[in-house]
């Protein structure tokens, strides 16, 4: 495929879209036309700097208003909810290819029954029996959110159950777990004031991208571009 902009051949790097290469050449030529770049300049850093200066000068990107930020926040509240968290401990009876699985399960069941009767022994038994490094900290796993563990363990952690030692073993790909839930922290909506900066950045980025596309479309409408369609428009009022 032959790609050119105003008769100048454009090389396309492997793995890069030809539209990007054509747009960059359009912007380079515009930077030369407004004397932000010397016609013979070939240094990539100089070209990039000139294009950046060009866009700063010719592409208007209005700052999102408070009302626009609040409207986005209200319409996308799920994006700003903190996830559910649990503080948990466990004792792992690891299953490996050499392990007698029924024997290991029976041992885990016995330990679970002991702990249901004497929950204060959890830390001591974790240190003695757990095949997880957390055993040296009483089995403490700290604060866990959704997606932090394997699915089968997560399902056990976040099912509706009161805090305390789960009354059944949790089976995962690693083995059998005795699990204690110490605390549940339900997710909640993060206040607008806390995320206002993030919302403004997101909206500004979207506006900037749209403005840049419009600007490139206008340049393409005034140029001879071959080998790629840049959705050229001769009007500056591209929608």
């Amino acid at each position: 495929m032959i790609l050119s902009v105003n008769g100048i051949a454009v090389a396309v790097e492997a793995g890069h879209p030809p539209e990007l290469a054509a747009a960059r050449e359009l912007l380079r030529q515009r930077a030369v036309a407004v004397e932000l770049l010397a016609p013979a300049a070939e240094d990539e850093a100089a070209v990039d700097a000139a294009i950046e200066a060009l866009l700063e000068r010719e592409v208007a990107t209005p700052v999102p208003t408070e009302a626009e930020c609040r409207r986005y926040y209200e319409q996308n509240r799920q994006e700003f909810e903190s996830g559910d968290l649990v503080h948990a401990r466990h004792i792992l009876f690891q299953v490996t290819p050499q392990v007698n699985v029924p024997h290991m399960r029976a041992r885990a069941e016995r330990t679970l029954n002991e702990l249901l009767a004497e929950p204060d022994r959890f830390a001591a038994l974790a240190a003695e029996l757990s095949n997880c490094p957390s055993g040296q900290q009483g089995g403490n796993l700290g604060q866990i959110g959704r997606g932090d563990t394997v699915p089968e363990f997560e399902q056990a952690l976040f099912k509706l159950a009161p805090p305390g030692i789960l009354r059944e073993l949790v089976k995962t790909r690693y083995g059998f777990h005795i699990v204690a839930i110490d605390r549940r922290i339900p997710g909640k909506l993060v206040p607008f004031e806390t995320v206002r900066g993030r919302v403004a950045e997101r909206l500004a980025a979207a506006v900037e991208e749209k403005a840049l596309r419009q600007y490139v479309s206008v340049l393409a409408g005034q140029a001879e571009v071959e080998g790629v369609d840049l959705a050229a428009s001769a009007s500056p009022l591209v929608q």
Side-chain angles (χ1 to χ4, degrees), residues 59-80:
V59 180
T61 53
V63 177
T65 65
E66 182 82 3
E68 290 171 334
C69 290
R70 285 191 176 276
R71 184 163 56 250
Y72 183 90
Y73 174 81
E74 293 297 336
Q75 293 175 349
N76 300 274
R77 293 168 72 91
Q78 71 281 358
E79 292 185 24
F80 307 105

Side-chain angles (χ1 to χ4, degrees), residues 85-148:
L85 298 171
V86 296
H87 287 265
R89 292 170 290 154
H90 83 146
I91 300 174
L92 170 62
F93 294 84
Q94 188 176 24
V95 171
T96 64
Q98 294 76 32
V99 165
N100 183 315
V101 176
H103 175 77
M104 183 64 75
R105 178 191 287 272
R107 186 184 184 195
E109 291 280 7
R110 286 196 304 271
T111 305
L112 174 59
N113 290 331
E114 291 177 26
L115 286 172
L116 290 173
E118 299 180 82
D120 290 344
R121 296 181 60 203
F122 198 102
L125 289 177
E128 178 186 346
L129 302 174
S130 183
N131 297 122
C132 176
S134 65
Q136 301 309 308
Q137 288 78 46
N140 183 29
L141 294 172
Q143 185 171 280
I144 301 173
R146 294 185 186 275
D148 290 343

Side-chain angles (χ1 to χ4, degrees), residues 26 214 216-223 225 228-235 238:
L26 271 174
Q214 291 176 340
V216 169
S217 293
V218 171
L219 293 182
Q222 300 167 349
V225 181
V228 69
D229 180 13
L230 291 179
S233 171
S235 168
V238 182

Side-chain angles (χ1 to χ4, degrees), residues 27 30-31 34 36 50-59 215:
L27 295 172
R30 176 61 180 172
V34 298
L36 289 174
I51 289 175
E52 185 175 341
L54 173 72
L55 297 178
E56 184 175 345
R57 190 170 85 174
E58 297 196 347
V59 180
Y215 182 67

Side-chain angles (χ1 to χ4, degrees), residues 3-11 19-55 57-59 212 215-216 219-220 223-225 230:
L3 179 63
S4 67
V5 177
N6 291 325
I8 297 177
V10 178
E19 292 84 0
L20 182 61
R24 188 175 189 278
E25 176 60 23
L26 271 174
L27 295 172
R28 187 198 68 79
Q29 291 184 23
R30 176 61 180 172
V32 170
V34 298
E35 300 183 344
L36 289 174
L37 183 68
E42 296 183 356
D43 181 71
E44 293 294 323
V47 174
D48 289 341
I51 289 175
E52 185 175 341
L54 173 72
L55 297 178
R57 190 170 85 174
E58 297 196 347
V59 180
L212 178 58
Y215 182 67
V216 169
L219 293 182
E224 293 182 6
V225 181
L230 291 179

